[in-house]
Amino acid sequence: ALAAVLRADKCQIYTDVDGVFTADPNKVPSARKIDAITYDEMLELATLGAKVLHNRSVEMAKRYHVNLEVLSSFTGHPGTIVKEVVKKMEKSHVSGVAKDKDVARLALVALENRPGVAFKVFSLLANAKINVDIILQSIGRHNTKDISFTVGKQDMERTKKLLEDHVELLGFDHIDVSDRIAKISIVGAGMVHNPGVAAKMFEALYNAGININMISTSEIKVSVLVDLADADRAVQV
């Protein structure tokens, strides 16, 4: 914010690492430092669990076109530049891998398969200011459907109680809850024009024997839910 108001050429943020890495270097020894990354990629990585920058700082930089540099307080090495456009995007479709263990999954089983059910569920959560991330709805069968979704781990019990208190309004059979999961995400602006990136991610997880519970995609990211015990290995593969 200060850099924007002062019209500074650059805002340097000093941390305990040399910059932004393709994954957490403490967990993945082969992680490489990224020389430059776009605001959108960095915002996704920060939101999806990368700890190096707070997502609000990236939002501010993007809005006011402030060039950010993330660098180490200790080494004096060049850091990672965060900016609007990055060259050579086509050569590397994925910029980084992020992990978020602060996730819980809830599944509403055997909801009535009729219009308005999803609206009732998620308006109830919105009114309680519970943020929902990945949502998956099954194909209806026997006039019922299942809806699974994720919330922050700290909201799990509150969400479960809220839904159970409104079981008659929503009309589900039971709730399945788990907080032994993690969200693993790949992020890259080059993915939008390159088909097959998600398939390669799924292949890598399959080859490692890691089961995928849920999938969410956008133009520049693919996120999957895996068992918590598989989280670090999933990031590595």
Side-chain angles (χ1 to χ4, degrees):
L2 279 171
V5 170
L6 296 171
R7 300 185 185 279
D9 294 332
K10 186 191 295 181
C11 175
Q12 293 179 309
I13 297 184
Y14 286 85
T15 69
D16 58 349
V17 290
D18 277 335
V20 180
F21 282 73
T22 52
D24 183 348
N26 296 316
K27 300 284 186 184
V28 185
S30 60
R32 301 180 305 281
K33 195 193 80 176
I34 302 167
D35 293 329
I37 189 169
T38 67
Y39 294 127
D40 288 340
E41 290 174 308
M42 190 65 242
L43 189 55
E44 286 282 16
L45 283 172
T47 304
L48 293 166
K51 300 288 191 284
V52 67
L53 279 180
H54 193 285
N55 57 359
R56 183 78 179 120
S57 69
V58 186
E59 285 178 350
M60 190 74 74
K62 177 177 168 65
R63 180 174 179 183
Y64 294 106
H65 305 290
V66 174
N67 282 351
L68 278 180
E69 184 179 16
V70 184
L71 64 174
S72 170
S73 306
F74 309 107
T75 65
H77 296 158
T80 299
I81 302 292
V82 186
K83 56 185 181 179
E84 188 69 50
V85 179
V86 174
K87 293 178 182 176
K88 300 179 182 175
M89 190 185 298
E90 294 76 16
K91 292 184 181 177
S92 178
H93 307 325
V94 176
S95 293
V97 183
K99 175 183 68 182
D100 185 1
K101 292 185 175 181
D102 183 33
V103 182
R105 177 187 58 81
L106 293 93
L108 295 176
V109 180
L111 284 154
E112 288 185 44
N113 190 19
R114 55 183 169 81
V117 171
F119 163 70
K120 286 181 181 177
V121 171
F122 295 110
S123 63
L124 198 65
L125 300 181
N127 289 338
K129 294 190 166 41
I130 295 170
N131 192 39
V132 176
D133 186 19
I134 302 175
I135 301 172
L136 181 69
Q137 180 174 299
S138 69
I139 298 171
R141 62 186 185 281
H142 308 305
N143 213 32
T144 69
K145 61 187 174 187
D146 303 340
I147 294 180
S148 303
F149 58 93
T150 61
V151 297
K153 197 173 282 189
Q154 72 278 4
D155 290 326
M156 181 180 77
E157 291 299 334
R158 189 161 65 98
T159 305
K160 183 183 178 189
K161 184 177 186 311
L162 180 66
L163 293 169
E164 286 175 342
D165 288 347
H166 292 83
V167 63
E168 290 184 9
L169 170 71
L170 303 174
F172 58 86
D173 182 68
H174 65 276
I175 302 178
D176 184 38
V177 179
S178 173
D179 62 356
R180 303 294 299 164
I181 57 168
K183 181 169 65 173
I184 310 298
S185 307
I186 58 171
V187 174
M191 286 177 8
V192 65
H193 300 301
N194 292 279
V197 176
K200 287 178 183 172
M201 177 190 192
F202 303 153
E203 182 183 17
L205 294 172
Y206 162 71
N207 288 338
I210 296 171
N211 190 43
I212 298 171
N213 296 317
M214 293 171 73
I215 301 167
S216 172
T217 65
S218 75
E219 282 193 333
I220 68 167
K221 79 148 196 305
V222 181
S223 295
V224 296
L225 283 192
V226 301
D227 292 342
L228 188 60
D230 293 327
D232 288 346
R233 204 158 53 89
V235 172
Q236 287 167 1
V237 301

